[in-house]
Amino acid sequence: MVGSSHEALHRIFQKDPTLLTKALQRVLHVPFPEPREIAALNVDLTEVEPVERRVDTLLRAETDEGTYLLVVESQGKVDDRKRGSWPYYLSYLYEKYRCEPVLIVITQSSATARWASRPIRLGFPGWDSLTVRPLVLGPDNVPVIADERQAERDVPLAVLSAMTHGRGPQAPAILESLASALRTIDPDSAAVFVQFVDSCLADPQAKQMWRELMTAIQYFWRHPLAEQVREEGREQGLEQGLEQGLEQGRAQAKAEMVVRILEWRGIPVSDAVRERVLACTDLGRLEVWAQRAVHAAEATELFPEE
């Protein structure tokens, strides 16, 4: 299992290496050539001396214009030690493989993204002996994918969007769109993406919403993460419906999610609306209400027919 956002942010590119080149081309507008083949390499850069050095993810991309090493670093905060380690990584890899290394940094923090994007210049002022210019993916340039159809067209990019923007008022629409899109791909790949997103959601409300959304996707309950969710659900009484029948349990989780989306967006929920939503057992109707809750200006807009 992926246990942290640090792991998830770079391992998603191991799961789908083409996502990295798409991000370079579409997000950073770097004219990186289309790869014929991408292979994962050993991330251990340790030399004979007992100094351990590892990159997070290392991919080799074969293109018509040459072979490139894509060095992916997941960065949670500003760390000035990278001023020395990143140039070392690139020099070592070039010496070992004799092909061009490209440094890509991914972060969930705008401040860290601004820091990481600054060139690292080593040498005499005005005459650099070595310059390192990281390419940075972060919340300021990774697209917000809050449309279900757009998410279905490129599920890995939608996953990256959720991992990067999984907080704030736009999170409900992003997570809802991704949850729908995951139903369109094979269950094993979807289960891995579910775990990546879960590991990256630092906002407790976003994480809870994501797990409630996932209760509607049956394959999720076969995933190792599901046992953790079920255990937490038992403590909160969310699995009572599962004991009475899986269908009822899904309806209960979906109804609670509808109310939670409204409250998260700061929209007052009257007792009448809350009681009506929580009493509903029609999954189709609850799905419609959940979609309306993402965009509604007031709670009564869940029921436009009235």
Side-chain angles (χ1 to χ4, degrees):
M1 288 179 60
V2 176
S4 68
S5 61
H6 176 92
E7 283 187 83
L9 281 170
H10 69 87
R11 283 185 56 184
I12 187 175
F13 299 115
Q14 298 176 18
K15 169 63 180 172
D16 188 337
T18 61
L19 174 62
L20 187 56
T21 56
K22 285 189 291 188
L24 293 177
Q25 296 164 350
R26 302 178 191 177
V27 177
L28 299 178
H29 305 294
V30 174
F32 192 85
E34 198 66 36
R36 295 190 307 271
E37 179 184 353
I38 299 181
L41 301 179
N42 190 336
V43 299
D44 192 346
L45 308 186
T46 305
E47 299 183 77
V48 176
E49 293 84 354
V51 178
E52 182 176 324
R53 300 180 187 270
R54 293 177 182 271
V55 296
D56 289 332
T57 286
L58 180 60
L59 304 171
R60 180 170 56 202
E62 302 285 351
T63 77
D64 291 336
E65 299 178 19
T67 301
Y68 295 89
L69 298 176
L70 305 178
V71 185
V72 184
E73 285 281 278
S74 173
Q75 195 66 29
K77 61 183 179 180
V78 173
D79 183 356
D80 287 329
R81 292 175 299 176
K82 298 297 184 180
R83 179 178 170 84
S85 58
W86 283 344
Y88 170 84
Y89 295 164
L90 302 183
S91 299
Y92 176 88
L93 290 168
Y94 180 77
E95 177 65 20
K96 181 176 181 178
Y97 293 101
R98 288 296 168 176
C99 49
E100 302 294 338
V102 179
L103 175 62
I104 301 103
V105 178
I106 181 165
T107 180
Q108 295 174 297
S109 163
S110 295
T112 302
R114 289 192 294 272
W115 163 80
S117 63
R118 294 200 298 263
I120 299 172
R121 294 187 171 93
L122 304 179
F124 186 76
W127 195 274
D128 304 332
S129 298
L130 176 64
T131 302
V132 175
R133 298 177 59 196
L135 295 166
V136 182
L137 295 168
D140 295 329
N141 56 14
V142 172
V144 174
I145 299 180
D147 176 77
E148 182 179 329
R149 297 289 174 263
Q150 186 181 2
E152 289 177 0
R153 286 195 295 271
D154 196 333
V155 174
L157 189 59
V159 172
L160 184 63
S161 177
M163 293 165 64
T164 309
H165 300 285
R167 63 180 65 190
Q170 57 195 355
I174 294 173
L175 298 177
E176 177 83 20
S177 299
L178 177 58
S180 297
L182 287 175
R183 296 186 179 96
T184 66
I185 65 175
D186 73 274
D188 290 338
S189 293
V192 174
F193 288 146
V194 165
Q195 187 182 353
F196 285 158
V197 174
D198 189 88
S199 297
C200 283
L201 293 176
D203 186 328
Q205 289 182 305
K207 187 183 287 286
Q208 183 63 35
M209 177 187 171
W210 179 243
R211 292 182 172 185
E212 290 172 358
L213 279 167
M214 291 302 96
T215 62
I217 303 179
Q218 185 173 2
Y219 70 77
F220 173 62
W221 297 100
R222 301 198 305 268
H223 194 274
L225 180 61
E227 182 55 37
Q228 178 184 346
V229 177
R230 280 197 289 268
E231 184 60 33
E232 294 175 4
R234 292 188 189 100
E235 296 174 2
Q236 301 169 16
L238 295 179
E239 283 213 333
Q240 180 180 358
L242 289 176
E243 296 171 0
Q244 301 170 351
L246 184 58
E247 195 72 13
Q248 184 180 348
R250 289 177 184 165
Q252 180 182 351
K254 177 67 76 172
E256 291 175 353
M257 184 194 70
V258 172
V259 175
R260 190 181 299 274
I261 290 174
L262 291 171
E263 292 177 336
W264 190 15
R265 296 182 60 228
I267 297 174
V269 181
S270 67
D271 290 341
V273 169
R274 185 186 305 273
E275 289 173 6
R276 177 172 178 179
V277 172
L278 295 180
C280 182
T281 58
D282 185 331
L283 273 172
R285 180 175 299 176
L286 287 167
E287 180 66 33
V288 172
W289 290 350
Q291 294 173 6
R292 291 173 182 169
V294 171
H295 306 287
E298 55 184 60
T300 54
E301 292 182 15
L302 295 181
F303 325 115
E305 63 276 5
E306 300 178 9

